[in-house]
Amino acid sequence: MSAPTRLKPGVVTGEDYRALIAACQDGGYALPAVNVVGTNGINAVLEAAAKNRSDVIVQLSNGGARFYAGEGMKDALQARILGAVSAAQHVHLLAEQYGVCVVLHTDHANKGLIPWVEGMIDHGEEHFRRTGRPLFSSHMLDLSEESLDFNLSECARVLKRLAPLGMSLEIELGVTGGEEDGIGSEDLDAANNAHLYTQPEDVLRAYEELSPIGHFSVAASFGNVHGVYAPGNVKLRPEILGASQALVAERHGGGAKPLALVFHGGSGSEKEKIAQAVGFGVFKMNIDTDTQFAFAESIGGFVLENEAAFRHQIDPQSGKPLKKLYDPRKWLRLGEQGMVRRLDEAFADLGAAGKSLAG
């Protein structure tokens, strides 16, 4: 076997991003893509990646980006754009110091959020002119609720802007169930709907229309949903991913895994199904709900154990100051540590621990 590719620690883009995807697929592992809403989340993700000696994907939804900029910012579109840009700059500044490779990505953007993506690309083009490198590794367009014709034509238009920057585009084919930051619905009555299971023929068409333009990845639905639901509500069929890979390989070659595949709605999924999806070429699994809960649970437990400190500056029983307990650095750090512990599990489930390409 040839020696593994080594990449410079920090944000990876362009050919380095493609090399990272290839290493994941060849090595039979995937990276967690963790949604963040502030510096605490970003820092926890970087800490967990360094601890596990794994590379990682940091991503922002439109709501997460807006929160990063501050809910008090009146222009919601600008808040979404500038929040994402600010978060990207934070990651660029710190990622190399953690000694791992980091993919910077943005999450679901439906038709109404295309201006958000275009605004981020505007900033990315300016960053590229100044530095010779893109600001983000990739963006996502989720136009799965539109016609396939519109989905692919609009993805092609946006990819034509991204490709010259060395950026990738993530697309969605089929509909991931559940709700993610205002996109979709928590109603799972349609869990058996055919739209929850992407047709391999649609994936083939996407490959034929987009691959000549630039690099892209596919969030192909195989029954997966956002969020955590009661057992039995979600029926995952990873074999759909294998059928899509086989069809594209049969028509166009590119080895056994010509597609870069993405697993949305990873929180709460069965570990066996995760392993099967990774085996079919999934290099990226989104995780948000579980890390949100891990952050909140750690802080909530501390608050319950130290209730007086969150009601009084001076303990009414002992007369002692409680500042060391209500200091935000105390409980926010506990939230970060909760995220790190949950990500320890994610890196293990995905087989990514100890496999960082950072050299």
Side-chain angles (χ1 to χ4, degrees):
M1 294 180 61
S2 60
T5 301
R6 289 298 171 197
L7 303 175
K8 181 180 178 182
V11 176
V12 294
T13 59
E15 291 301 320
D16 287 347
Y17 178 42
R18 298 188 193 198
L20 182 57
I21 293 174
C24 290
Q25 293 184 318
D26 292 345
Y29 67 96
L31 303 178
V34 191
N35 282 60
V36 297
V37 300
T39 57
N40 293 106
I42 290 175
N43 295 345
V45 173
L46 296 177
E47 178 181 348
K51 175 185 176 185
N52 285 275
R53 294 182 293 113
S54 173
D55 303 317
V56 73
I57 301 169
V58 173
Q59 65 185 20
L60 293 101
S61 66
N62 77 93
R66 179 177 180 178
F67 190 85
Y68 200 100
E71 292 288 342
M73 191 171 173
K74 292 183 179 180
D75 189 325
L77 176 58
Q78 281 302 305
R80 290 184 174 99
I81 294 169
L82 296 180
V85 170
S86 179
Q89 292 171 339
H90 181 91
V91 176
H92 274 277
L93 184 64
L94 297 183
E96 185 177 349
Q97 301 303 314
Y98 280 86
V100 295
C101 296
V102 179
V103 174
L104 262 174
H105 181 65
T106 54
D107 209 358
H108 295 270
N110 61 13
K111 185 177 180 180
L113 288 167
I114 291 174
W116 173 49
V117 175
E118 301 255 49
M120 290 186 292
I121 297 173
D122 291 340
H123 282 269
E125 288 171 339
E126 174 58 28
H127 187 270
F128 187 85
R129 282 192 289 269
R130 288 188 289 105
T131 68
R133 300 183 64 211
L135 184 59
F136 288 87
S137 308
S138 58
H139 292 308
M140 181 185 186
L141 280 183
D142 177 0
L143 303 177
S144 56
E145 294 181 345
E146 312 300 326
S147 69
L148 183 62
D149 287 343
F150 179 82
N151 186 346
L152 295 182
S153 65
E154 192 65 1
C155 286
R157 184 186 68 81
V158 172
L159 186 54
K160 288 175 183 176
R161 290 190 66 185
L162 297 179
L165 305 179
M167 290 182 61
S168 180
L169 177 69
E170 181 181 321
I171 71 170
E172 179 148 347
L173 297 174
V175 178
T176 301
E179 183 269 338
E180 172 69 16
D181 211 355
I183 298 176
S185 169
E186 292 184 348
D187 182 7
L188 291 185
D189 288 343
N192 291 320
N193 189 303
H195 289 296
L196 294 182
Y197 300 96
T198 299
Q199 304 306 304
E201 292 76 15
D202 292 345
V203 180
L204 174 64
R205 180 178 166 188
Y207 182 87
E208 291 175 340
E209 293 189 21
L210 297 180
S211 60
I213 300 172
H215 185 267
F216 73 101
S217 58
V218 183
S221 301
F222 53 100
N224 38 326
V225 302
H226 297 118
V228 177
Y229 296 87
N233 278 351
V234 181
K235 298 178 177 62
L236 295 178
R237 295 173 54 198
E239 61 272 15
I240 289 174
L241 304 179
S244 298
Q245 294 279 30
L247 181 59
V248 173
E250 176 189 343
R251 299 288 181 86
H252 299 283
K257 302 172 185 177
L259 297 164
L261 296 176
V262 174
F263 184 168
H264 280 235
S267 292
S269 297
E270 303 166 71
K271 295 185 189 300
E272 178 186 357
K273 299 296 186 181
I274 292 174
Q276 289 177 3
V278 172
F280 288 128
V282 164
F283 78 96
K284 169 182 182 278
M285 186 184 82
N286 288 13
I287 179 168
D288 183 19
T289 306
D290 281 357
T291 48
Q292 284 183 346
F293 182 73
F295 191 90
E297 181 185 34
S298 300
I299 294 174
F302 180 77
V303 172
L304 292 174
E305 291 173 7
N306 300 278
E307 185 177 352
F310 293 87
R311 294 182 180 275
H312 310 280
Q313 287 187 297
I314 305 295
D315 191 322
Q317 301 295 325
S318 67
K320 294 181 179 180
L322 295 170
K323 185 179 186 303
K324 290 185 178 180
L325 294 176
Y326 64 74
D327 183 334
R329 291 171 294 182
K330 176 68 176 181
W331 45 271
L332 285 173
R333 176 57 182 157
L334 293 174
E336 292 175 354
Q337 291 172 324
M339 278 189 71
V340 170
R341 286 191 294 273
R342 178 58 185 87
L343 288 172
D344 287 343
E345 182 180 345
F347 286 117
D349 290 345
L350 295 172
K355 295 179 181 175
S356 175
L357 298 188

